Amino acid sequence: MYLADRSAPAPGGAKTAADRGPVRAPAVASTVLALGTVSMITDISSEMVTAVLPLYLIAGLGLSPLGFGALDGVYNGVSALVQLTGGHLADRVRNHKLIAGIGYGLSALCKPLLLVAHSLGPISVILTLERTGKGLRTAPRDALISLSTPPELQGRAFGVHRAMDTTGALLGPLAAFFILSLTVDGYDAVFGVSACVAVLGVVVLMLFVPSGGDTRPGPSGGATATATATATATATATATAEAAAVPGADRPAPVRLRDALGLLRLPRLRNLAVCAVLLGLTTVSDAFVYLLLQRRTGIGDQWFPLIPLGTAAVFLLLAVPAGALADRIGRRTVFLTGHALLLAGYGLLLWAPAWPALPYLVLALHGTFYAATDGVLPAAVAATVPGELRATGMALVGTGQALARFGCSLAFGAAWTLWGTGPALAAAAVGLLCCAAVAGFVLRPAAPQDTRPEPNPNPKSNPKPVRPPR
């Protein structure tokens, strides 16, 4: 069928795809770019609040480091649990955009509520609801990215998305800084502008992100792409005809909770989940890192909202190169290297002298850590999970990692309160070193199996070939 169609002359003398030359597939799918735009706008809104929140709660409301660690851990823990629910629902209803849109909408609704909350209780509830929205949208969004990208380009696609997302993380603190410096009631102004920006992100999602999972693009390049497109069209027509003949054949079987939990029987996915949990248990929260850096270097309170910009700028510059490097040399290597760089940042905070360049070095290592891990981990998960359970598989790993970081926030806040900043960070650094060593062993590449037949140790015992009768 394909050869016959290809050998037939084009009607009206029109040139075929082969005559026009090689057809190149886009390096990044349009779905990835649309989701990146949504994430960039949403992150501007979220990071405006995140940049001022530690200072607002500790300096403004008098919250202790232990209390802030508990709050930070609780709402991130809620996000982790809801992430598992969001991933399963997206696979079950077969509409990743719907679940992601609900998550983005819930987060947007919570932003204006911060204008009327001026005590710890209401703020805790609002932040928990906001993190619930983040948990709902994360797994369906990442599933949309992976389902619209060929396997060999997963790292690059997630790197592009994370770079656009980090652009918002870069612009959000800048906006918060300028609003605080230009207004009298600075915190309320930050919360109000953040709410308006969040609504814009939801509008972009509804208008420009396609519903459901996109068809996976074929390999790039010339005749292969043309052949793939023609064969896909033929297969689609055949499947449509068969579906019309069999009632209900076009409806895929619903995803059951048993199927989702059965993903943990996949050895590679289970190893990734275990390593993500171990490393999350020793990854200190960003807010604590910035507070430690401020106290270590004496940065003034008016400059505190700008500290996350260093991490975001380095993340933005290195997210795409790190993702492409992971596709080329292996995601395990890049992932573990990122944690080694984070360990180096802990070491500088602990033992480096008070150099003028110390803040820049710590933030550079912190941003490189995120560039080497934040997009590489979901790309590795996508390579181990079937498409119909993609969001659930990503949610399983993401939930384990987020719950581990929830535990780390609680433990680090308690250690800071009881022991001080130095011993608390030293304990985290030792734990990170041990967990990274375990992860390096667990994620080691499988030894290639030798399929050649074993030689006979006694060649003389081989029977002589029987000559066939004439």
Side-chain angles (χ1 to χ4, degrees):
M1 180 76 177
Y2 168 66
L3 292 176
D5 288 342
R6 196 178 169 194
S7 61
K15 293 185 177 181
T16 63
D19 296 330
R20 289 192 299 266
V23 179
R24 297 188 62 183
V28 180
S30 59
T31 300
V32 178
L33 297 177
L35 287 169
T37 303
V38 174
S39 294
M40 179 179 66
I41 296 172
T42 304
D43 233 37
I44 292 175
S45 170
S46 298
E47 293 301 323
M48 288 176 65
V49 176
T50 302
V52 302
L53 194 61
L55 200 61
Y56 176 63
L57 293 176
I58 293 178
L61 300 183
L63 192 64
S64 67
L66 176 60
F68 178 74
L71 178 62
D72 183 68
V74 165
Y75 68 71
N76 280 301
V78 169
S79 173
L81 293 175
V82 176
Q83 183 177 344
L84 188 60
T85 303
H88 178 65
L89 285 177
D91 286 335
R92 187 174 182 84
V93 303
R94 307 286 183 181
N95 194 333
H96 299 91
K97 177 184 174 180
L98 173 64
I99 305 301
I102 293 174
Y104 280 109
L106 180 59
S107 294
L109 287 175
C110 291
K111 296 299 193 313
L113 297 179
L114 291 171
L115 293 169
V116 296
H118 299 288
S119 60
L120 183 59
I123 288 177
S124 301
V125 174
I126 293 170
L127 291 178
T128 300
L129 290 175
E130 198 276 335
R131 292 290 97 178
T132 300
K134 179 178 175 59
L136 278 176
R137 69 181 184 249
T138 299
R141 179 204 65 200
D142 286 349
L144 281 171
I145 294 172
S146 68
L147 291 172
S148 63
T149 307
E152 67 275 8
L153 296 177
Q154 296 276 332
R156 179 187 295 273
F158 279 103
V160 169
H161 174 267
R162 295 318 193 251
M164 298 180 71
D165 181 88
T166 307
T167 302
L170 191 66
L171 297 175
L174 275 177
F177 172 76
F178 285 114
I179 291 173
L180 285 176
S181 61
L182 295 176
T183 58
V184 177
D185 296 326
Y187 291 117
D188 286 345
V190 169
F191 299 151
V193 175
S194 171
C196 297
V197 177
V199 172
L200 178 61
V202 177
V203 172
V204 174
L205 173 76
M206 303 309 295
L207 293 179
F208 297 104
V209 176
S211 298
D214 289 357
T215 303
R216 187 184 302 278
S220 60
T224 304
T226 305
T228 303
T230 307
T232 302
T234 304
T236 302
T238 304
T240 304
E242 294 176 353
V246 182
D250 57 338
R251 294 193 298 269
V255 176
R256 299 170 299 177
L257 184 60
R258 184 190 309 170
D259 300 329
L261 295 177
L263 287 174
L264 292 175
R265 289 195 295 267
L266 299 175
R268 196 65 181 169
L269 180 65
R270 187 170 60 247
N271 291 343
L272 285 170
V274 169
C275 292
V277 168
L278 287 176
L279 294 169
L281 286 171
T282 53
T283 301
V284 178
S285 169
D286 293 353
F288 277 128
V289 171
Y290 301 145
L291 287 171
L292 288 169
L293 185 60
Q294 182 198 30
R295 297 196 175 196
R296 181 76 168 75
T297 58
I299 297 174
D301 289 349
Q302 70 274 19
W303 303 107
F304 184 83
L306 296 182
I307 294 178
L309 294 183
T311 297
V314 177
F315 190 3
L316 174 62
L317 291 175
L318 297 181
V320 177
L325 183 65
D327 289 335
R328 187 164 60 250
I329 69 172
R331 289 157 189 155
R332 168 185 175 272
T333 302
V334 175
F335 184 70
L336 294 176
T337 301
H339 285 87
L341 295 175
L342 178 64
L343 183 62
Y346 291 172
L348 289 178
L349 284 174
L350 283 169
W351 299 299
W355 299 326
L358 180 61
Y360 304 100
L361 291 175
V362 172
L363 294 176
L365 291 171
H366 199 227
T368 308
F369 155 72
Y370 276 114
T373 59
D374 196 65
V376 173
L377 180 60
V381 173
T384 65
V385 182
E388 64 272 13
L389 292 171
R390 187 66 52 83
T392 304
M394 291 185 168
L396 283 172
V397 177
T399 297
Q401 184 183 54
L403 286 176
R405 291 183 175 178
F406 160 69
C408 183
S409 291
L410 291 178
F412 189 83
W416 182 341
T417 303
L418 297 175
W419 304 336
T421 57
L425 187 58
V430 172
L432 179 58
L433 178 62
C434 296
C435 292
V438 173
F441 177 77
V442 172
L443 296 178
R444 68 191 186 281
Q449 296 181 354
D450 191 359
T451 59
R452 293 176 300 177
E454 295 183 1
N456 192 338
N458 187 10
K460 295 183 179 181
S461 64
N462 289 335
K464 296 183 179 179
V466 180
R467 181 174 298 178
R470 296 183 180 178

